[in-house]
Amino acid sequence: MSHSRNSADVRLGRLLCRILRHHPEQVGITLDEHGWADVEDLLAALAGCRPIDRAKLEEIVRTDAKQRYSMSADGRLIRANQGHSIPVDVELPLTRPPELLWHGTGEKYAASIDAQGLLPKSRLYVHLSSDEETARAVGRRHGRPVLYQVRSGQMWADGIPFYRSVNGVWLTRAVPARYLERQPGPI
């Protein structure tokens, strides 16, 4: 999160993630097939539990350090860019990835990844980073970090589709173990 955001904004951002990625029904809204929610419906639904208006919502979308959200050009709709656990199509074009991508995770998951590869678990896609530093930061959020290099160019050549979210995160349905190289040592 940006350092300029206060703790109330951070909590509100987390609430938006939960609603727009996982549980819109908790506040009584619905998402369309592409993950869009009506902004006025969202604001009305949140009015009972959080003080928020359109200006505050737009500020959160604009200042979110991870660029998790998008608003439609006319400002009437909002959605999470990726990370959904509910079936939505966020309309990402098939995109050829770079030769190598990165995945950071916690040490507690490494044995499973070494055996099974990367699986989306509760999400629709596996999230990959285009740079090693971002993957390191993600890994640190999951405990003692482990870094994997992903042979994404070979995956693409083998017919495995990739998508790139509007915030630069690379997405694919799964990464079989044969395309992974666990990086040695502490990261």
Side-chain angles (χ1 to χ4, degrees), residues 22-152:
H22 311 294
H23 298 289
E25 75 285 353
Q26 284 185 342
V27 295
I29 66 167
T30 57
L31 307 181
D32 73 11
E33 68 273 17
H34 301 295
W36 292 106
D38 182 274
V39 169
E40 294 304 319
D41 290 349
L42 177 63
L43 291 172
L46 290 174
C49 63
R50 291 284 196 277
I52 184 170
D53 59 15
R54 176 177 283 279
K56 176 57 75 176
L57 181 65
E58 289 174 357
E59 177 187 342
I60 288 170
V61 170
R62 187 179 65 257
T63 62
D64 185 72
K66 295 181 184 178
Q67 299 177 323
R68 290 183 184 102
Y69 318 102
S70 291
M71 290 187 87
S72 60
D74 63 8
R76 292 177 47 219
L77 303 173
I78 185 172
R79 73 174 171 195
N81 289 324
Q82 89 274 327
H84 297 85
S85 61
I86 53 177
V88 297
D89 171 11
V90 292
E91 307 169 289
L92 298 174
L94 199 59
T95 305
R96 181 187 187 117
E99 282 303 306
L100 297 173
L101 289 171
W102 299 90
H103 184 79
T105 191
E107 186 177 58
K108 60 188 170 192
Y109 304 116
S112 173
I113 291 170
D114 291 345
Q116 300 177 33
L118 295 170
L119 304 173
K121 301 289 181 191
S122 63
R123 293 185 175 184
L124 300 179
Y125 297 100
V126 169
H127 294 198
L128 303 171
S129 304
S130 56
D131 65 279
E132 199 173 334
E133 259 328 290
T134 300
R136 285 182 203 280
V138 170
R140 287 186 198 106
R141 291 198 318 247
H142 297 283
R144 188 174 183 155
V146 174
L147 187 66
Y148 287 89
Q149 190 176 66
V150 179
R151 291 187 294 282
S152 45

Side-chain angles (χ1 to χ4, degrees), residues 146-165:
V146 174
L147 187 66
Y148 287 89
Q149 190 176 66
V150 179
R151 291 187 294 282
S152 45
Q154 187 59 56
M155 289 175 64
W156 178 266
D158 292 345
I160 298 173
F162 280 82
Y163 308 91
R164 190 163 188 219
S165 180

